[in-house]
Amino acid sequence: MDNFMRQGPLNDLGLVGRTSEDNAQVTMGDGGRPMVVNLRLDPANKAAMKAVATLVGVDLPQKANYFVEGKETEVHWLAPDEWMIVSQNMEGNELVSKLDEALDGVHHSAVNVSDNFAVITVEGEKARALLQKAIPLDLHPREFHTGMSTQTHAAKTNVILQQVSDAPFYKLYVRRSFSQYLWAWLESGSIGFGLAISS
Amino acid sequence: MLLIECPHCGPRAETEYAGCSEAHIARPESGGLDMTDAEWVEWVFWRKNTKGVYLERWNHAAGCRRWINCMRDTVTNEILATYKAGEKPPKIADAEREYKF
Amino acid sequence: MKNRYSIFSLIRNAFSYHQEWPPAWRSPEPKKSYDAVIVGGGGHGLATAYYLAKNHGMTNIAVLEKGWLGGGNTARNTTIIRSNYLWDESAKLYEHSVKLWEGLSQELNYNVMFSQRGVLNLAHNQHDLRELSRRINANRLNGVDSEFLNPEEVKKFCPAIDLRGGGRYPVLGASLQRRGGTARHDAVAWGYARAADELGVDVIQNCPVLGFESHADGSITINSGKGPIKAGKVGLVVAGHSSVIADMAGFRLPTESRPLQALVSEPMKPCIDTVVMSNAVHAYISQSDKGELVIGAGADAYISYGQKGSGHQTEHTLAAICEMFPQFRRVKMMRQWGGIVDTNPDASPIISKTPVANMFINCGWGTGGFKGTPGSGWTFADLIASGEPDDMNAPFKLDRFKTGYLVDEHGAAAVAH
Amino acid sequence: MSQKFRLESGGLINRDKPVTFSFNGHELKGYDGDTLASALIANGVHLVGRSFKYHRPRGIMSAGPEEANALLQLGEGAYTEPNARATMEELFDGLVATTSNAFPTVKYDIGEVNSLFSKIFVSGFYYKTFMWPSKAWKFYEHFIRKAAGIGKAPEEHDPDFYDKTNAFCDVLVVGGGPAGLSAALSAAATGAHVTLVDDQPRFGGSLMAQSGQEIDGKPALEWVDEAEAKLHDLDNVQVLRRATAFAYYDHNYVGIWERLTDHLPVKPEGLPRHRVHMMRAKQVIIASGAIERPLVFCDNDRPGIMLASACRTYVNRFGAKPGNKGVIFTNNDSAYATVLDLIDAGIEIKAVVDVRKDPLGPLMEKADAAGVKILTNSAVVGTSGRLHLKSVEVAELSDDGETAKSDVTEIACDFLGSSGGWNPTVHLHCQAGGKLDFDEERGAFVPAPSNRTNPNISVGSCKGAFGLADCLAQGFEAGQEAAKAAGIKFRKSGKAPTAEAVDEGNRRLLWLVPGKKPLGQSGKHFIDLQNDSTAADLQLALREGYRSIEHVKRYTTTGMATDQGKTANVNALAIVAQTLNEAIPTVGTTTYRPPYVPVTFGAIAGRDIDDLLDPARTTPMHSWHVNAGAEFEDVGQWKRAWYFPQPGEDMHAAVNREVAAMRNSVGILDATTLGKIDVKGKDAAEFLNRVYTNAWTKLGIGKCRYGLMLGEDGMVMDDGVTSRIAEDHFLMTTTTGNAAPVLGHLEDYLQTEWTDLEVYLTSVTEQWATASIAGPNARALLSELTDDIDLSNEALPFMAWTPGTVAGIPARVFRISFTGDLSYEIAVPADYGLALWQALMTAGSKYDITPYGTETMHVLRAEKGFIIVGQDTDGSITPVDLNMNWIVSKKKGDFIGKRSLDREDMSDPNRKQLVGILTDDPKEVLPEGAQLVEVVKDKPPMDMVGWVSSSYWSPNCDRSIAMALVHGGLKKMGQKLYSPQADGRVIECTITDTVFYDKEGNRQNG
Ligand SMILES: Cc1cc2nc3c(=O)[nH]c(=O)nc-3n(C[C@H](O)[C@H](O)[C@H](O)COP(=O)(O)OP(=O)(O)OC[C@H]3O[C@@H](n4cnc5c(N)ncnc54)[C@H](O)[C@@H]3O)c2cc1C
Ligand SMILES: NC(=O)c1ccc[n+]([C@@H]2O[C@H](COP(=O)([O-])OP(=O)(O)OC[C@H]3O[C@@H](n4cnc5c(N)ncnc54)[C@H](O)[C@@H]3O)[C@@H](O)[C@H]2O)c1
Ligand SMILES: Cc1cc2nc3c(=O)[nH]c(=O)nc-3n(C[C@H](O)[C@H](O)[C@H](O)COP(=O)(O)O)c2cc1C
Ligand SMILES: [Zn+2]
């Protein structure tokens, strides 16, 4: 399978080669094509939780609105029995088979959703101010900070919002068909801040 | 816009929720197959629609996607409690509030 | 009418500095008993009383209103009047209503300012167009005037509309009911109250109904804020409070009460001369005679009796208005408010007998009952007077949820008004 | 005319920065720091507009948001703004303002003829007349509408843009006067996140209008500057100027309207005009001050008649003189502050008319000592001067204050300041559901404690604390209290700023000042200046039985203008109470509603306009369709390719070509938008049994099945094909528009009803891109792109699926058909959607592969009689009505909707049923939505028996085809029906069954 055949949903925006504004206070970019699996599992099943942890190299977070980072995997809490696993070394389908294997006989559901999402990155001095226009959650670091990830909505799309670092640097996982709208919305919100495009 | 505390995710804006309706009206086990039309329709259509403290459920659609329960005063919008689907409403001192007219 | 209103009576009264105007209605204390009592002094309740007296000669009757006349949804609605409903049953009822509207000012000798400036329903996609066509055809064959306008005709009829719909919601066509329009909401309640009072109806304000007691002889004692009142028949017409009153009477309804919001802009010189409704973007707009843009919004998701709503509904509505009318972005909102609308699962009213003998209910007009006021009062009066349903109100019986014959007007009315 | 009413010195204006502006075409000068109103006053412009109803000449009457008269048209062309309050508009170079409600000019306005008829033009006038002849209302209305309204709406697309943001804080302080500043300082000191907003361009509130005040021993404004600087330096504080808290919604959700560029002569690029902050505050401190109440006296509306506090504001804050010689009319001591400041500014005070019999108060004493002429127990009983106040008439009051003595003194003057006491600005408190108490002594409504839904605290003069010292102390206290309630942990420290406590003196509440004649007989006592409602109107309403204050409001329109009765309402209800002989609190207030001041639509809409009003969802192949010149159709939020016209083709031609191409060779459709739900768990089959009408347990792995989903009411809600992936694993598809509702519906049952079922659902709608190829050459085409899938009928029969590789991409290939032809739906991970499409197009070129859109798909499926949920159903249709009994399992127990299907009226044979319709003239295509009758009458009404839900030209049948829902239709095969059209034609047609093409179904079996 040739990788050039892959077309991320933000490709149509022609971001490559777009010039950034001077003194940009916010930078947006295409967060690429991560490998993502959605996992449903009863957290009360300790053995199963353990099995997954062993497989992905990190415990599944049970604290609401947080993600944890392993060496090659990031796991986001989505709901009490639902996680998003973002893997750096395993293809979605491969990870699904491994999970199915590890959870053989246990009620669970592992689904490859790598193509489900677009990822929009937002960073810089005004990143929070920009996102706050779209998102009805308090993003002040006191309430939402590095290490957190949550589902919410941004303007009229549902997103998974992740704060990756204090810069601040955020990632928005948005369903692909909504991604161009969300990009346009955020770009409109950035007027006055100066927008740079990360490559 | 109301602020509703999801028992899973924490306080969230009303716009994250969808599908508010009366809580604690379980679907008849039999699917109503052993019921008269009147009894069945009672479950399908009849609603308490209380003026006062009301037990309702919301779907945290843009969050954890769980259905949650909410105890709310339908006159003042004061939320007295929220709790998970399947749980019983908590006992709250002045939750009996009902407005006469 | 003893004290007819006219330009001549106005001039005559001007000479006495308007000191001689009689009250529009009396403020009687309730009698011990009435042949019939209407609970709820909104437009529907007052119209019911008026037609009971006028059409059925029942004059020993009273209307009990917990607050001030017409203070419920009658005071709060965006006053859109039309009869272009989809189903035969609804069309019949609403068309009867529009016909009554057409002579109402004269009949009541009270100018309710019924203004037939037309109602446009916009279509923004193929699905809308299909629905529109179905409704227009049904309307026509039901004898309800209704026509299709293509985008150019829409623009000509209402030049203020941006056919591009701001980009996202272009206007692909519209239905137009020329006989539709608006009326002055308050005047409707007051006009009916005055006319009913003239026929001997006791209109009693500040008199909440608190409970009922049925007697073996079929009569009902109403426990009211002004003491017990005995009634041969009782008609319940309390809109948003229908479940509350049904609860007092011991029966249940499928009705839910939700806040519906509206707002007005500052008054301006005439800038839009018709009623424009769009289901897709969820907004409705007209301009009142005083000059405000009168704008209706969506209903909140939750049950409430608070007569206010969530702010985001207004935000969404105004975004939709700015989309259809980009030139209004600089216009300002002057006041917003909410009303409690009673909605039934099939978005059609209940006009029905109840499980309680000699008690009748008229409710569930939801987001669109102002237009129905005269027809509703007329047919409900028929039902109360005869005790049995007739052609017009039979389809709206409470029983229909049990048997399954719903009059599903979601397509026409789920979206407010 | 150059600012001849400008004082030599003083005021918070910048005299080094002169500003030029225009009013009604005249070029005038003012200073930076002026408002439009203060600049007009400085220029001696007293006449600014005409009133709403009587077109009476009007001048500026206030210096704040309560302004009822000076509503001007600002700017021109696309930038014009109606009804701008001159008192709130900051002056800038190039500002253009004109009078709103006058023609041809404000001096000579023909509308003034209305005044002549004012005797009949009383409240309720419209309700009593214009009823004859009965059809004439629209004629009258035309002129009435023209006369109504104030400003003109813009006619062009607004070129500005607006911003909106969500916002959060622990403590929101509304109002930057002494109380608010003190509150913000003390809350900020606790570490709480504080936002302070004020609607003025600078902080200080009424301190800007005062003179000689000291706080903490410093001149008050110096203290203000220091406080502001301190707040600016704190990280935990956000300070917004020109920002009005306009709406207080439940759960402490407060709308704040910030104006960013309105005051700038050149609007900077990139700055929105307005920004709305939707603030969720844990606690709110309301420090919104008080608004002075005018006295209601005869002809109290002439240009030159103002609030006393406004006179003071113009002098102290703007260095502008309201006039040269004035009269102050009061019932309390606070107006003497104005008297003293005006005298200091060199303005002649001809007299103070004080209704009190023996006035008490430190300020009065000072004025008295300064030799001001004070007429006690007296009232202004009349005024004169048509375009500008010339004189007032003063008389002594009777003992009870209800009449004036006949001995009248005329005092020449060019302005009058009136003060009837103060109304706390309780708007936000009340919007938040707060109740009011009535302060008998001051004649003022003050906030009762707030409720639990919306925790807030009112402080300062909006709480009824009219002394500076109290304002500061209350603010300080509330700041800490709010921080504590917001959950901030801190140690109490600091102390409240201090000021000298001043005695308020006494008052005499005289709600209605008598005139020379009985009310209504000569002159007008205006209550609501903007809507021209008078005390006589109120009394008329009461006389006519409109007794509730709400009726009075609506009958007289008092309080319904753009100022929402800020200066009118309390006077009105007090006069109503007095007339009815009731206590003021019994009469009560009308409801306070948002917005506090009118707010621009655009600002409230924010960014959700134009293309951003609603997402437009696109598939991975969208760009290809665009390049191929597709026309698009909106289906829900999706953009679907509708048809692909070639040059010169209209839709009809394009669809005919597409249809033929598919039936003859192969066509390709983008089917990505269908909803897809992954269903997993050991009870998955049982779950499907319960949510669909048919049975699922026996469906083999690798097989697909069509399902109908009902609501609990028994009505068809959705349909789609579900495929079995494994014993415990299915993939469900839903219609495009229903994906989210269906998932919600299913989750609802899993989470709340059938919690024992082991099933997990995951939405994979967007994970997969789907291309559907159909037509006799579909197999040949597909076989060229795959070498690991056996496409034979045996290996992959109709209604089966298989994994495999297509064009080098891992795929799921489904042999399902919505067209009735041999057809494969190929689903690949969405990133490869475009690649798959391109590969199919390339490989398909030798078969003349033809892309087709939803319109062609509709024709193709209609030829086969396949329904579309939402087109052939409308929420009132059961499977039985659709003649789809075959799909309703009789054996299965419960499924959603089953019980409802058994209700009495559901088996009525006369329900509407889906049938096929053939027009007698095969060339005639029935319009969709056409209605059908059995008997045509000359004119409506006619009994309709059904309606056409789908109708197309079918190239394959070479005739028109249609489906309709007809009463008892299934029993009426072959019966004639008629469809009367809008143009008078009647289309004749015949009922048939719904399959029009390839009835045996040979084609789809390939
Ligand atoms: C924002 C909004 C916009 C709308 N727009 C439109 C529109 O454009 N067109 C349209 O046709 N319709 C519209 N409607 C719907 C319409 O207003 C209502 O359907 C209609 O006014 C109902 O009239 P009513 O007389 O039944 O109810 P109401 O006017 O509400 O009267 C019911 C009365 O019952 C009284 N009551 C309640 N309980 C008791 C008790 N226990 N004892 C005594 N009295 C009691 C209440 O005080 C009230 O006065 C709108 C509604 C709202 C809220
Ligand atoms: N002598 C008297 O009888 C009398 C009467 C009233 C007030 N006063 C004096 O006035 C001062 C009152 O101080 P205070 O702090 O209570 O009030 P203030 O009037 O000084 O300040 C209120 C501030 O809030 C702003 N504001 C009001 N509503 C707003 C809103 N919705 N959004 C944003 N900003 C808003 C106003 O523009 C003003 O700047 C004291 O100095 C007091 O002595 C005296
Ligand atoms: C058609 C219509 C027009 C209105 N026009 C105005 C208006 O011009 N000014 C105003 O203040 N309110 C106006 N209102 C709103 C009323 O003041 C009031 O908010 C409404 O009747 C609800 O009552 P409440 O706010 O007292 O609860 C209007 C209401 C309606 C239904
Ligand atoms: Zn949640």
Side-chain angles (χ1 to χ4, degrees), chain A residues 111-133:
Chain A
V111 182
N112 179 6
V113 288
S114 306
D115 293 59
N116 218 34
F117 294 109
V119 181
I120 297 176
T121 60
V122 184
E123 60 194 300
E125 207 178 311
K126 292 286 184 194
R128 173 152 69 93
L130 171 58
L131 291 180
Q132 197 70 81
K133 294 184 187 185

Side-chain angles (χ1 to χ4, degrees), chain B residues 101, chain C residues 39-44 64-66 71-74 76-80 207-209 237-239 241 245 260-262 339 341 365-371 417:
Chain B
F101 57 86
Chain C
V39 183
H44 288 226
L64 307 185
E65 165 54 50
K66 70 172 175 175
N73 290 340
T74 303
R76 291 151 209 283
N77 76 90
T78 50
T79 78
I80 298 171
C207 182
V209 167
V237 211
V238 295
H241 279 75
I245 209 106
L260 182 71
Q261 296 180 69
V341 296
W365 289 82
T367 60
F370 176 68
K371 63 177 74 66
H417 329 301

Side-chain angles (χ1 to χ4, degrees), chain C residues 7-25:
Chain C
I7 187 72
F8 308 108
S9 65
L10 268 161
I11 293 169
R12 191 161 12 90
N13 273 285
F15 288 109
S16 50
Y17 305 104
H18 300 283
Q19 296 293 320
E20 309 299 329
W21 286 109
W25 48 77

